[in-house]
C-alpha cells in the first residue's frame, strides 16, 4: 500500500502540483506526504525507505497538522468506520472502534515524533468547525504574508 500511495502522490505532483507551482499559483493539498507516511510507519514500514520513495515530491512551504484525539474523531464520525483507517489489518483489536483508538494512538505517536522533522505546524482540531477554520485561516494568512511582500497577516 505504501508504494501505491507514493506512486499516486508522485503522479498527482507531476500532473497537478508542479504545473500549478510553475504557473505561480498557491497549492493547498489535503493529506500530502505526511499522512500516507505516518500511516505506513504506524504499520511498521521503515521510515527511511518511505522518505526515500517520497523524496522526489516538492517540499511544502508549510504543513498544517490538524491534531485531534481518537475519541473526538470517533464521536464526529458518521456511519461505519473504514477497516483500513481503523488499522484492522494490524490485529490490534477485534472491534473496529477499539482498533481505531489503538491505531489512532500509533498515528498520534508517529506524528508527534516527526513534528520537527516534517515541519508540522500543529492546529488544535478539538474545537468547533468555526474555531478550527479560524485557526487555519490565521496560519494560512501568516504563511501567505511571509511569501507575498506587501500583505499583512490578520
Amino acid at each position: 500500500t505504501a508504494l501505491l500511495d507514493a506512486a499516486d502522490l508522485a503522479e498527482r505532483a507531476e500532473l497537478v502540483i508542479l504545473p500549478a507551482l510553475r504557473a505561480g499559483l498557491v497549492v493547498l493539498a489535503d493529506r500530502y506526504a505526511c499522512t500516507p507516511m505516518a500511516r505506513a510507519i504506524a504499520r511498521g514500514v521503515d521510515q527511511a525507505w518511505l522518505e526515500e520513495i517520497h523524496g522526489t515530491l516538492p517540499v511544502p512551504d508549510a504543513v498544517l497538522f490538524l491534531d485531534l484525539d481518537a475519541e473526538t474523531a470517533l464521536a464526529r464520525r458518521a456511519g461505519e468506520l473504514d477497516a483500513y483507517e481503523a488499522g484492522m489489518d494490524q490485529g490490534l483489536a477485534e472491534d473496529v472502534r477499539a482498533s481505531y483508538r489503538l491505531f489512532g494512538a500509533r498515528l498520534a505517536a508517529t506524528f508527534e515524533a516527526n513534528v520537527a522533522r516534517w515541519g508540522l505546524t500543529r492546529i488544535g482540531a478539538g474545537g468547533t468547525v468555526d474555531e478550527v477554520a479560524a485557526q487555519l485561516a490565521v496560519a494560512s494568512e501568516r504563511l501567505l504574508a511571509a511569501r507575498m511582500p506587501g500583505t499583512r497577516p490578520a
Side-chain angles (χ1 to χ4, degrees), residues 11-28:
E11 181 180 46
R12 192 167 7 133
E14 186 65 32
L15 298 177
V16 179
I17 296 171
L18 287 170
L21 292 173
R22 287 184 195 113
L25 299 174
V26 172
V27 176
L28 298 176

Side-chain angles (χ1 to χ4, degrees), residues 21-66:
L21 292 173
R22 287 184 195 113
L25 299 174
V26 172
V27 176
L28 298 176
D30 182 25
R31 298 181 186 154
Y32 192 54
C34 296
T35 299
M37 285 197 305
R39 287 181 177 165
I41 292 165
R43 285 181 163 83
V45 178
D46 181 69
Q47 182 165 341
W49 178 75
L50 289 165
E51 289 174 349
E52 182 179 332
I53 65 172
H54 287 89
T56 62
L57 295 172
V59 176
D61 291 323
V63 180
L64 304 180
F65 167 51
L66 298 180

Side-chain angles (χ1 to χ4, degrees), residues 126-146:
T128 67
V129 171
D130 289 340
E131 291 167 343
V132 175
Q135 289 181 71
L136 287 169
V138 168
S140 299
E141 288 169 358
R142 286 184 180 148
L143 175 65
L144 289 172

